[in-house]
Amino acid sequence: MASLEILTYPDERLKTGCEPVETFNPELQSFIDHLIETCSGGPGAVGIAAPQVGVLQRICIVDATRARRPVDNHGHLVLINPEITAWDGFAVGREGCLSVPDYTGKVIRAEKIELKAQDRNGKPCTFTMSGFEARIAQHEVDHLDGILFLDRLVSRHADLKRRTPT
Ligand code: NI
């Protein structure tokens, strides 16, 4: 299976709202598999959203199991038409993104969220997420609304940091 090409800022498609998925067919399954493969190929990538590969549909992957430090999580998740239904608390944390490869930035997110979505077969599911997993989910759902972490920085001057070459 091949990794898909990842669009990077300032590609216009990353700023576009995505359409809901209505048909759960074999084509969708194949796309999801490619998306997972693409996420796994990214260094330390803990999530990816369909618009990052130019597909403007409400599909994303959240995988807190790939966090460098162990965190509470629900395992590897494929979220179709995800919707955050409740937010609680605030936390500041540093985020990166496959579509903004050279920078990380400090972003305020809810500490805890309720999320409803469908799984890859269209089955409805709900999650209560907190901490790092909640942060990833908020970051990925933002992608589906055409929002990047760059849009959420409290201060571009103080909070954006160039990645040190590895
Ligand atoms: Ni991202």
Side-chain angles (χ1 to χ4, degrees):
M1 200 169 310
S3 285
L4 304 166
E5 191 195 336
I6 293 172
L7 307 179
T8 52
Y9 176 84
D11 193 292
E12 280 298 317
R13 286 166 287 180
L14 294 169
K15 298 184 199 164
T16 310
C18 297
E19 295 292 325
V21 172
E22 280 161 5
T23 313
F24 293 78
N25 56 13
E27 211 174 37
L28 176 73
Q29 302 308 321
S30 159
F31 172 70
I32 290 168
D33 289 338
H34 282 96
L35 193 62
I36 292 169
E37 177 73 19
T38 307
C39 183
S40 311
V46 291
I48 193 169
Q52 293 183 269
V53 296
V55 173
L56 300 180
Q57 292 193 54
R58 303 189 73 83
I59 303 166
C60 64
I61 311 292
V62 168
D63 187 3
T65 65
R66 302 189 81 212
R68 270 173 296 180
R69 275 173 295 163
V71 293
D72 284 343
N73 68 83
H74 293 89
H76 181 279
L77 298 176
V78 175
L79 301 173
I80 311 293
N81 302 324
E83 209 178 304
I84 297 170
T85 55
W87 294 259
D88 190 29
F90 294 99
V92 179
R94 190 163 281 283
E95 297 184 11
C97 181
L98 293 170
S99 295
V100 188
D102 297 335
Y103 291 91
T104 63
K106 273 192 201 165
V107 182
I108 297 173
R109 300 283 187 188
E111 218 287 315
K112 195 172 164 187
I113 57 168
E114 307 278 336
L115 182 145
K116 69 172 187 180
Q118 286 163 280
D119 73 7
R120 61 187 294 162
N121 300 308
K123 192 178 140 218
C125 42
T126 58
F127 300 96
T128 300
M129 296 178 173
S130 59
F132 189 55
E133 187 180 46
R135 175 172 297 276
I136 304 168
Q138 290 169 84
H139 176 117
E140 300 311 331
V141 172
D142 265 358
H143 273 299
L144 306 181
D145 294 321
I147 298 168
L148 296 175
F149 80 82
L150 297 173
D151 303 314
R152 298 233 187 243
L153 297 173
V154 179
S155 154
R156 215 164 250 254
H157 172 69
D159 293 340
L160 194 63
K161 197 168 101 185
R162 190 173 269 282
R163 280 187 195 271
T164 44
T166 45

mmCIF file of all heavy atoms in Angstrom, residues 99-148:
data_model
loop_
_atom_site.group_PDB
_atom_site.id
_atom_site.type_symbol
_atom_site.label_atom_id
_atom_site.label_comp_id
_atom_site.label_asym_id
_atom_site.label_seq_id
_atom_site.Cartn_x
_atom_site.Cartn_y
_atom_site.Cartn_z
ATOM 1 N N SER A 99 1.082 18.724 7.924
ATOM 2 C CA SER A 99 0.922 19.751 6.884
ATOM 3 C C SER A 99 1.675 21.044 7.200
ATOM 4 O O SER A 99 1.675 21.971 6.392
ATOM 5 C CB SER A 99 -0.559 20.061 6.668
ATOM 6 O OG SER A 99 -1.222 18.923 6.163
ATOM 7 N N VAL A 100 2.279 21.104 8.400
ATOM 8 C CA VAL A 100 3.095 22.268 8.784
ATOM 9 C C VAL A 100 4.417 21.696 9.301
ATOM 10 O O VAL A 100 4.710 21.740 10.494
ATOM 11 C CB VAL A 100 2.400 23.109 9.884
ATOM 12 C CG1 VAL A 100 3.150 24.423 10.126
ATOM 13 C CG2 VAL A 100 0.940 23.395 9.526
ATOM 14 N N PRO A 101 5.200 21.096 8.390
ATOM 15 C CA PRO A 101 6.320 20.246 8.843
ATOM 16 C C PRO A 101 7.419 20.974 9.602
ATOM 17 O O PRO A 101 8.117 20.341 10.388
ATOM 18 C CB PRO A 101 6.859 19.650 7.531
ATOM 19 C CG PRO A 101 6.314 20.492 6.440
ATOM 20 C CD PRO A 101 5.037 21.096 6.930
ATOM 21 N N ASP A 102 7.570 22.266 9.397
ATOM 22 C CA ASP A 102 8.733 22.942 9.965
ATOM 23 C C ASP A 102 8.500 23.618 11.313
ATOM 24 O O ASP A 102 9.429 24.150 11.904
ATOM 25 C CB ASP A 102 9.259 23.996 8.978
ATOM 26 C CG ASP A 102 9.744 23.352 7.688
ATOM 27 O OD1 ASP A 102 10.125 22.157 7.734
ATOM 28 O OD2 ASP A 102 9.720 24.015 6.641
ATOM 29 N N TYR A 103 7.263 23.605 11.778
ATOM 30 C CA TYR A 103 6.962 24.353 12.999
ATOM 31 C C TYR A 103 6.130 23.546 13.990
ATOM 32 O O TYR A 103 5.407 22.625 13.611
ATOM 33 C CB TYR A 103 6.172 25.633 12.662
ATOM 34 C CG TYR A 103 6.987 26.650 11.916
ATOM 35 C CD1 TYR A 103 6.999 26.647 10.519
ATOM 36 C CD2 TYR A 103 7.747 27.588 12.595
ATOM 37 C CE1 TYR A 103 7.766 27.575 9.813
ATOM 38 C CE2 TYR A 103 8.515 28.515 11.906
ATOM 39 C CZ TYR A 103 8.521 28.507 10.515
ATOM 40 O OH TYR A 103 9.285 29.412 9.840
ATOM 41 N N THR A 104 6.246 23.922 15.254
ATOM 42 C CA THR A 104 5.284 23.481 16.262
ATOM 43 C C THR A 104 4.744 24.747 16.914
ATOM 44 O O THR A 104 5.351 25.815 16.812
ATOM 45 C CB THR A 104 5.941 22.601 17.341
ATOM 46 O OG1 THR A 104 6.930 23.365 18.038
ATOM 47 C CG2 THR A 104 6.564 21.348 16.742
ATOM 48 N N GLY A 105 3.598 24.629 17.564
ATOM 49 C CA GLY A 105 3.029 25.827 18.178
ATOM 50 C C GLY A 105 2.225 25.481 19.414
ATOM 51 O O GLY A 105 1.717 24.360 19.555
ATOM 52 N N LYS A 106 2.137 26.446 20.326
ATOM 53 C CA LYS A 106 1.361 26.251 21.554
ATOM 54 C C LYS A 106 -0.093 26.645 21.315
ATOM 55 O O LYS A 106 -0.364 27.750 20.832
ATOM 56 C CB LYS A 106 1.930 27.125 22.667
ATOM 57 C CG LYS A 106 3.046 26.463 23.439
ATOM 58 C CD LYS A 106 3.310 27.287 24.685
ATOM 59 C CE LYS A 106 4.693 27.023 25.234
ATOM 60 N NZ LYS A 106 5.055 28.079 26.193
ATOM 61 N N VAL A 107 -0.979 25.732 21.659
ATOM 62 C CA VAL A 107 -2.395 25.927 21.379
ATOM 63 C C VAL A 107 -3.205 25.586 22.632
ATOM 64 O O VAL A 107 -2.890 24.626 23.341
ATOM 65 C CB VAL A 107 -2.845 24.999 20.217
ATOM 66 C CG1 VAL A 107 -4.303 25.215 19.879
ATOM 67 C CG2 VAL A 107 -1.978 25.223 18.987
ATOM 68 N N ILE A 108 -4.252 26.386 22.885
ATOM 69 C CA ILE A 108 -5.166 26.087 23.989
ATOM 70 C C ILE A 108 -6.277 25.180 23.472
ATOM 71 O O ILE A 108 -6.906 25.473 22.455
ATOM 72 C CB ILE A 108 -5.782 27.386 24.555
ATOM 73 C CG1 ILE A 108 -4.682 28.277 25.145
ATOM 74 C CG2 ILE A 108 -6.830 27.063 25.623
ATOM 75 C CD1 ILE A 108 -5.191 29.651 25.569
ATOM 76 N N ARG A 109 -6.484 24.072 24.159
ATOM 77 C CA ARG A 109 -7.568 23.141 23.797
ATOM 78 C C ARG A 109 -8.357 22.806 25.047
ATOM 79 O O ARG A 109 -7.863 22.969 26.172
ATOM 80 C CB ARG A 109 -6.984 21.823 23.259
ATOM 81 C CG ARG A 109 -6.119 21.936 22.034
ATOM 82 C CD ARG A 109 -6.918 22.122 20.779
ATOM 83 N NE ARG A 109 -6.060 22.066 19.596
ATOM 84 C CZ ARG A 109 -6.478 22.350 18.372
ATOM 85 N NH1 ARG A 109 -7.731 22.717 18.149
ATOM 86 N NH2 ARG A 109 -5.646 22.279 17.354
ATOM 87 N N ALA A 110 -9.554 22.269 24.846
ATOM 88 C CA ALA A 110 -10.312 21.744 25.979
ATOM 89 C C ALA A 110 -9.564 20.544 26.552
ATOM 90 O O ALA A 110 -8.969 19.753 25.813
ATOM 91 C CB ALA A 110 -11.704 21.338 25.532
ATOM 92 N N GLU A 111 -9.618 20.390 27.869
ATOM 93 C CA GLU A 111 -8.924 19.285 28.535
ATOM 94 C C GLU A 111 -9.689 17.982 28.316
ATOM 95 O O GLU A 111 -9.109 16.913 28.187
ATOM 96 C CB GLU A 111 -8.824 19.611 30.033
ATOM 97 C CG GLU A 111 -7.514 19.188 30.677
ATOM 98 C CD GLU A 111 -7.405 17.669 30.855
ATOM 99 O OE1 GLU A 111 -8.373 17.040 31.300
ATOM 100 O OE2 GLU A 111 -6.328 17.126 30.511
ATOM 101 N N LYS A 112 -11.010 18.114 28.251
ATOM 102 C CA LYS A 112 -11.860 16.924 28.143
ATOM 103 C C LYS A 112 -12.973 17.203 27.136
ATOM 104 O O LYS A 112 -13.515 18.315 27.121
ATOM 105 C CB LYS A 112 -12.456 16.658 29.533
ATOM 106 C CG LYS A 112 -13.067 15.306 29.703
ATOM 107 C CD LYS A 112 -13.435 15.104 31.175
ATOM 108 C CE LYS A 112 -14.384 13.932 31.305
ATOM 109 N NZ LYS A 112 -14.897 13.807 32.683
ATOM 110 N N ILE A 113 -13.277 16.227 26.299
ATOM 111 C CA ILE A 113 -14.362 16.408 25.328
ATOM 112 C C ILE A 113 -15.246 15.161 25.259
ATOM 113 O O ILE A 113 -14.833 14.057 25.635
ATOM 114 C CB ILE A 113 -13.827 16.679 23.896
ATOM 115 C CG1 ILE A 113 -12.909 15.546 23.418
ATOM 116 C CG2 ILE A 113 -13.119 18.021 23.819
ATOM 117 C CD1 ILE A 113 -12.578 15.597 21.944
ATOM 118 N N GLU A 114 -16.464 15.378 24.784
ATOM 119 C CA GLU A 114 -17.324 14.286 24.354
ATOM 120 C C GLU A 114 -17.349 14.366 22.834
ATOM 121 O O GLU A 114 -17.484 15.454 22.270
ATOM 122 C CB GLU A 114 -18.762 14.463 24.861
ATOM 123 C CG GLU A 114 -18.892 14.678 26.357
ATOM 124 C CD GLU A 114 -18.856 13.364 27.122
ATOM 125 O OE1 GLU A 114 -19.192 12.329 26.522
ATOM 126 O OE2 GLU A 114 -18.461 13.385 28.300
ATOM 127 N N LEU A 115 -17.218 13.209 22.201
ATOM 128 C CA LEU A 115 -17.179 13.198 20.746
ATOM 129 C C LEU A 115 -18.104 12.112 20.229
ATOM 130 O O LEU A 115 -18.112 11.003 20.759
ATOM 131 C CB LEU A 115 -15.737 12.950 20.303
ATOM 132 C CG LEU A 115 -15.417 12.933 18.818
ATOM 133 C CD1 LEU A 115 -14.036 13.530 18.599
ATOM 134 C CD2 LEU A 115 -15.440 11.523 18.259
ATOM 135 N N LYS A 116 -18.894 12.451 19.216
ATOM 136 C CA LYS A 116 -19.653 11.391 18.548
ATOM 137 C C LYS A 116 -19.205 11.296 17.113
ATOM 138 O O LYS A 116 -18.793 12.299 16.509
ATOM 139 C CB LYS A 116 -21.155 11.603 18.677
ATOM 140 C CG LYS A 116 -21.714 12.765 17.928
ATOM 141 C CD LYS A 116 -23.245 12.735 17.989
ATOM 142 C CE LYS A 116 -23.805 13.826 17.080
ATOM 143 N NZ LYS A 116 -25.252 13.880 17.077
ATOM 144 N N ALA A 117 -19.227 10.102 16.575
ATOM 145 C CA ALA A 117 -18.749 9.860 15.220
ATOM 146 C C ALA A 117 -19.377 8.569 14.714
ATOM 147 O O ALA A 117 -20.213 7.965 15.386
ATOM 148 C CB ALA A 117 -17.226 9.742 15.214
ATOM 149 N N GLN A 118 -18.965 8.166 13.518
ATOM 150 C CA GLN A 118 -19.287 6.825 13.030
ATOM 151 C C GLN A 118 -17.967 6.093 12.819
ATOM 152 O O GLN A 118 -16.939 6.730 12.566
ATOM 153 C CB GLN A 118 -20.050 6.927 11.710
ATOM 154 C CG GLN A 118 -21.483 7.385 11.893
ATOM 155 C CD GLN A 118 -22.093 7.871 10.593
ATOM 156 O OE1 GLN A 118 -21.860 8.997 10.170
ATOM 157 N NE2 GLN A 118 -22.865 7.030 9.938
ATOM 158 N N ASP A 119 -18.001 4.776 12.956
ATOM 159 C CA ASP A 119 -16.780 4.020 12.656
ATOM 160 C C ASP A 119 -16.718 3.795 11.138
ATOM 161 O O ASP A 119 -17.566 4.268 10.391
ATOM 162 C CB ASP A 119 -16.713 2.724 13.473
ATOM 163 C CG ASP A 119 -17.692 1.652 12.997
ATOM 164 O OD1 ASP A 119 -18.345 1.839 11.943
ATOM 165 O OD2 ASP A 119 -17.806 0.622 13.686
ATOM 166 N N ARG A 120 -15.719 3.057 10.681
ATOM 167 C CA ARG A 120 -15.496 2.944 9.235
ATOM 168 C C ARG A 120 -16.611 2.193 8.519
ATOM 169 O O ARG A 120 -16.706 2.225 7.301
ATOM 170 C CB ARG A 120 -14.120 2.338 8.944
ATOM 171 C CG ARG A 120 -13.909 0.943 9.494
ATOM 172 C CD ARG A 120 -12.463 0.509 9.308
ATOM 173 N NE ARG A 120 -12.123 0.364 7.906
ATOM 174 C CZ ARG A 120 -10.869 0.326 7.427
ATOM 175 N NH1 ARG A 120 -9.840 0.443 8.248
ATOM 176 N NH2 ARG A 120 -10.643 0.178 6.147
ATOM 177 N N ASN A 121 -17.471 1.517 9.297
ATOM 178 C CA ASN A 121 -18.611 0.828 8.682
ATOM 179 C C ASN A 121 -19.913 1.604 8.835
ATOM 180 O O ASN A 121 -20.982 1.115 8.466
ATOM 181 C CB ASN A 121 -18.756 -0.565 9.289
ATOM 182 C CG ASN A 121 -17.507 -1.392 9.055
ATOM 183 O OD1 ASN A 121 -17.049 -1.507 7.914
ATOM 184 N ND2 ASN A 121 -16.923 -1.935 10.111
ATOM 185 N N GLY A 122 -19.830 2.784 9.436
ATOM 186 C CA GLY A 122 -21.007 3.629 9.570
ATOM 187 C C GLY A 122 -21.725 3.488 10.892
ATOM 188 O O GLY A 122 -22.751 4.119 11.132
ATOM 189 N N LYS A 123 -21.170 2.643 11.779
ATOM 190 C CA LYS A 123 -21.804 2.436 13.079
ATOM 191 C C LYS A 123 -21.559 3.647 13.992
ATOM 192 O O LYS A 123 -20.415 4.063 14.170
ATOM 193 C CB LYS A 123 -21.220 1.171 13.714
ATOM 194 C CG LYS A 123 -21.969 0.677 14.917
ATOM 195 C CD LYS A 123 -21.339 -0.614 15.439
ATOM 196 C CE LYS A 123 -21.332 -0.570 16.944
ATOM 197 N NZ LYS A 123 -20.182 -1.126 17.591
ATOM 198 N N PRO A 124 -22.636 4.203 14.603
ATOM 199 C CA PRO A 124 -22.448 5.358 15.479
ATOM 200 C C PRO A 124 -21.655 4.978 16.733
ATOM 201 O O PRO A 124 -21.829 3.879 17.270
ATOM 202 C CB PRO A 124 -23.879 5.760 15.866
ATOM 203 C CG PRO A 124 -24.774 5.076 14.889
ATOM 204 C CD PRO A 124 -24.048 3.831 14.456
ATOM 205 N N CYS A 125 -20.791 5.876 17.191
ATOM 206 C CA CYS A 125 -20.045 5.621 18.419
ATOM 207 C C CYS A 125 -19.819 6.946 19.145
ATOM 208 O O CYS A 125 -19.855 8.010 18.531
ATOM 209 C CB CYS A 125 -18.714 4.935 18.117
ATOM 210 S SG CYS A 125 -17.835 5.579 16.693
ATOM 211 N N THR A 126 -19.612 6.868 20.454
ATOM 212 C CA THR A 126 -19.322 8.071 21.231
ATOM 213 C C THR A 126 -18.115 7.810 22.117
ATOM 214 O O THR A 126 -17.863 6.667 22.515
ATOM 215 C CB THR A 126 -20.513 8.480 22.139
ATOM 216 O OG1 THR A 126 -20.800 7.383 23.012
ATOM 217 C CG2 THR A 126 -21.743 8.825 21.335
ATOM 218 N N PHE A 127 -17.372 8.864 22.405
ATOM 219 C CA PHE A 127 -16.176 8.743 23.233
ATOM 220 C C PHE A 127 -16.112 9.903 24.212
ATOM 221 O O PHE A 127 -16.522 11.010 23.885
ATOM 222 C CB PHE A 127 -14.908 8.807 22.368
ATOM 223 C CG PHE A 127 -14.812 7.731 21.332
ATOM 224 C CD1 PHE A 127 -15.234 7.971 20.028
ATOM 225 C CD2 PHE A 127 -14.304 6.482 21.649
ATOM 226 C CE1 PHE A 127 -15.152 6.976 19.058
ATOM 227 C CE2 PHE A 127 -14.212 5.485 20.689
ATOM 228 C CZ PHE A 127 -14.637 5.732 19.388
ATOM 229 N N THR A 128 -15.594 9.618 25.398
ATOM 230 C CA THR A 128 -15.179 10.672 26.314
ATOM 231 C C THR A 128 -13.658 10.643 26.293
ATOM 232 O O THR A 128 -13.053 9.610 26.585
ATOM 233 C CB THR A 128 -15.684 10.399 27.740
ATOM 234 O OG1 THR A 128 -17.112 10.335 27.692
ATOM 235 C CG2 THR A 128 -15.262 11.507 28.691
ATOM 236 N N MET A 129 -13.061 11.752 25.901
ATOM 237 C CA MET A 129 -11.602 11.787 25.772
ATOM 238 C C MET A 129 -11.041 12.886 26.651
ATOM 239 O O MET A 129 -11.682 13.909 26.857
ATOM 240 C CB MET A 129 -11.204 12.093 24.327
ATOM 241 C CG MET A 129 -11.614 11.054 23.331
ATOM 242 S SD MET A 129 -11.118 11.595 21.680
ATOM 243 C CE MET A 129 -11.529 10.114 20.757
ATOM 244 N N SER A 130 -9.812 12.663 27.120
ATOM 245 C CA SER A 130 -9.167 13.714 27.911
ATOM 246 C C SER A 130 -7.691 13.775 27.550
ATOM 247 O O SER A 130 -7.158 12.897 26.866
ATOM 248 C CB SER A 130 -9.346 13.431 29.403
ATOM 249 O OG SER A 130 -8.786 12.176 29.713
ATOM 250 N N GLY A 131 -7.060 14.858 28.004
ATOM 251 C CA GLY A 131 -5.617 15.004 27.842
ATOM 252 C C GLY A 131 -5.170 14.979 26.391
ATOM 253 O O GLY A 131 -5.797 15.575 25.515
ATOM 254 N N PHE A 132 -4.106 14.254 26.139
ATOM 255 C CA PHE A 132 -3.474 14.280 24.821
ATOM 256 C C PHE A 132 -4.398 13.734 23.728
ATOM 257 O O PHE A 132 -4.453 14.261 22.612
ATOM 258 C CB PHE A 132 -2.158 13.497 24.864
ATOM 259 C CG PHE A 132 -1.312 13.638 23.630
ATOM 260 C CD1 PHE A 132 -0.943 14.899 23.165
ATOM 261 C CD2 PHE A 132 -0.889 12.521 22.930
ATOM 262 C CE1 PHE A 132 -0.165 15.034 22.012
ATOM 263 C CE2 PHE A 132 -0.111 12.650 21.783
ATOM 264 C CZ PHE A 132 0.252 13.909 21.321
ATOM 265 N N GLU A 133 -5.152 12.676 24.050
ATOM 266 C CA GLU A 133 -6.055 12.120 23.029
ATOM 267 C C GLU A 133 -7.136 13.143 22.648
ATOM 268 O O GLU A 133 -7.469 13.306 21.467
ATOM 269 C CB GLU A 133 -6.714 10.823 23.530
ATOM 270 C CG GLU A 133 -7.514 10.130 22.430
ATOM 271 C CD GLU A 133 -8.182 8.835 22.907
ATOM 272 O OE1 GLU A 133 -8.787 8.846 23.998
ATOM 273 O OE2 GLU A 133 -8.082 7.830 22.175
ATOM 274 N N ALA A 134 -7.650 13.862 23.647
ATOM 275 C CA ALA A 134 -8.647 14.912 23.380
ATOM 276 C C ALA A 134 -8.036 16.011 22.516
ATOM 277 O O ALA A 134 -8.688 16.558 21.623
ATOM 278 C CB ALA A 134 -9.159 15.488 24.695
ATOM 279 N N ARG A 135 -6.764 16.328 22.783
ATOM 280 C CA ARG A 135 -6.073 17.353 21.983
ATOM 281 C C ARG A 135 -5.951 16.904 20.528
ATOM 282 O O ARG A 135 -6.220 17.668 19.606
ATOM 283 C CB ARG A 135 -4.684 17.619 22.578
ATOM 284 C CG ARG A 135 -3.819 18.591 21.766
ATOM 285 C CD ARG A 135 -2.537 18.951 22.513
ATOM 286 N NE ARG A 135 -2.837 19.644 23.753
ATOM 287 C CZ ARG A 135 -3.068 20.963 23.840
ATOM 288 N NH1 ARG A 135 -2.980 21.721 22.768
ATOM 289 N NH2 ARG A 135 -3.366 21.519 24.988
ATOM 290 N N ILE A 136 -5.544 15.655 20.310
ATOM 291 C CA ILE A 136 -5.415 15.164 18.928
ATOM 292 C C ILE A 136 -6.770 15.241 18.225
ATOM 293 O O ILE A 136 -6.867 15.708 17.091
ATOM 294 C CB ILE A 136 -4.929 13.696 18.887
ATOM 295 C CG1 ILE A 136 -3.621 13.520 19.641
ATOM 296 C CG2 ILE A 136 -4.755 13.225 17.443
ATOM 297 C CD1 ILE A 136 -3.257 12.045 19.871
ATOM 298 N N ALA A 137 -7.813 14.776 18.896
ATOM 299 C CA ALA A 137 -9.146 14.760 18.271
ATOM 300 C C ALA A 137 -9.579 16.178 17.895
ATOM 301 O O ALA A 137 -10.098 16.403 16.798
ATOM 302 C CB ALA A 137 -10.159 14.119 19.214
ATOM 303 N N GLN A 138 -9.330 17.147 18.774
ATOM 304 C CA GLN A 138 -9.710 18.534 18.468
ATOM 305 C C GLN A 138 -8.908 19.064 17.277
ATOM 306 O O GLN A 138 -9.442 19.753 16.409
ATOM 307 C CB GLN A 138 -9.492 19.424 19.703
ATOM 308 C CG GLN A 138 -10.493 19.126 20.811
ATOM 309 C CD GLN A 138 -10.131 19.811 22.127
ATOM 310 O OE1 GLN A 138 -10.461 20.965 22.336
ATOM 311 N NE2 GLN A 138 -9.446 19.099 23.009
ATOM 312 N N HIS A 139 -7.633 18.710 17.224
ATOM 313 C CA HIS A 139 -6.772 19.127 16.103
ATOM 314 C C HIS A 139 -7.293 18.536 14.787
ATOM 315 O O HIS A 139 -7.395 19.232 13.779
ATOM 316 C CB HIS A 139 -5.338 18.654 16.405
ATOM 317 C CG HIS A 139 -4.336 18.919 15.326
ATOM 318 N ND1 HIS A 139 -3.250 19.749 15.503
ATOM 319 C CD2 HIS A 139 -4.231 18.451 14.056
ATOM 320 C CE1 HIS A 139 -2.542 19.783 14.377
ATOM 321 N NE2 HIS A 139 -3.115 18.999 13.481
ATOM 322 N N GLU A 140 -7.648 17.245 14.805
ATOM 323 C CA GLU A 140 -8.083 16.577 13.570
ATOM 324 C C GLU A 140 -9.465 17.065 13.125
ATOM 325 O O GLU A 140 -9.697 17.274 11.938
ATOM 326 C CB GLU A 140 -8.070 15.053 13.732
ATOM 327 C CG GLU A 140 -6.706 14.431 14.073
ATOM 328 C CD GLU A 140 -5.567 14.894 13.179
ATOM 329 O OE1 GLU A 140 -5.812 15.233 12.005
ATOM 330 O OE2 GLU A 140 -4.420 14.931 13.654
ATOM 331 N N VAL A 141 -10.386 17.254 14.080
ATOM 332 C CA VAL A 141 -11.713 17.759 13.714
ATOM 333 C C VAL A 141 -11.588 19.173 13.139
ATOM 334 O O VAL A 141 -12.271 19.531 12.182
ATOM 335 C CB VAL A 141 -12.680 17.706 14.919
ATOM 336 C CG1 VAL A 141 -13.995 18.416 14.591
ATOM 337 C CG2 VAL A 141 -12.964 16.252 15.314
ATOM 338 N N ASP A 142 -10.666 19.965 13.670
ATOM 339 C CA ASP A 142 -10.395 21.291 13.097
ATOM 340 C C ASP A 142 -10.047 21.186 11.616
ATOM 341 O O ASP A 142 -10.517 21.984 10.803
ATOM 342 C CB ASP A 142 -9.205 21.953 13.823
ATOM 343 C CG ASP A 142 -9.650 22.892 14.946
ATOM 344 O OD1 ASP A 142 -10.870 23.061 15.144
ATOM 345 O OD2 ASP A 142 -8.761 23.467 15.614
ATOM 346 N N HIS A 143 -9.200 20.220 11.255
ATOM 347 C CA HIS A 143 -8.815 20.042 9.844
ATOM 348 C C HIS A 143 -10.064 19.897 8.966
ATOM 349 O O HIS A 143 -10.099 20.385 7.842
ATOM 350 C CB HIS A 143 -7.972 18.767 9.669
ATOM 351 C CG HIS A 143 -6.498 18.968 9.882
ATOM 352 N ND1 HIS A 143 -5.734 19.824 9.120
ATOM 353 C CD2 HIS A 143 -5.637 18.399 10.760
ATOM 354 C CE1 HIS A 143 -4.475 19.774 9.522
ATOM 355 N NE2 HIS A 143 -4.385 18.909 10.523
ATOM 356 N N LEU A 144 -11.074 19.211 9.476
ATOM 357 C CA LEU A 144 -12.284 18.955 8.679
ATOM 358 C C LEU A 144 -13.089 20.236 8.470
ATOM 359 O O LEU A 144 -13.936 20.319 7.584
ATOM 360 C CB LEU A 144 -13.144 17.876 9.341
ATOM 361 C CG LEU A 144 -12.416 16.562 9.651
ATOM 362 C CD1 LEU A 144 -13.368 15.567 10.278
ATOM 363 C CD2 LEU A 144 -11.780 15.971 8.390
ATOM 364 N N ASP A 145 -12.807 21.240 9.310
ATOM 365 C CA ASP A 145 -13.453 22.547 9.162
ATOM 366 C C ASP A 145 -12.499 23.572 8.534
ATOM 367 O O ASP A 145 -12.759 24.775 8.569
ATOM 368 C CB ASP A 145 -13.940 23.051 10.530
ATOM 369 C CG ASP A 145 -15.060 22.182 11.089
ATOM 370 O OD1 ASP A 145 -15.918 21.760 10.288
ATOM 371 O OD2 ASP A 145 -15.077 21.916 12.302
ATOM 372 N N GLY A 146 -11.386 23.098 7.985
ATOM 373 C CA GLY A 146 -10.453 23.994 7.313
ATOM 374 C C GLY A 146 -9.618 24.843 8.260
ATOM 375 O O GLY A 146 -9.140 25.915 7.886
ATOM 376 N N ILE A 147 -9.431 24.365 9.486
ATOM 377 C CA ILE A 147 -8.668 25.122 10.489
ATOM 378 C C ILE A 147 -7.370 24.395 10.819
ATOM 379 O O ILE A 147 -7.378 23.183 11.072
ATOM 380 C CB ILE A 147 -9.518 25.294 11.777
ATOM 381 C CG1 ILE A 147 -10.796 26.089 11.458
ATOM 382 C CG2 ILE A 147 -8.716 25.974 12.879
ATOM 383 C CD1 ILE A 147 -11.824 26.053 12.578
ATOM 384 N N LEU A 148 -6.263 25.128 10.812
ATOM 385 C CA LEU A 148 -4.966 24.569 11.190
ATOM 386 C C LEU A 148 -4.585 25.077 12.578
ATOM 387 O O LEU A 148 -5.103 26.096 13.029
ATOM 388 C CB LEU A 148 -3.888 25.005 10.193
ATOM 389 C CG LEU A 148 -4.057 24.506 8.759
ATOM 390 C CD1 LEU A 148 -2.984 25.113 7.869
ATOM 391 C CD2 LEU A 148 -3.999 22.977 8.704
#
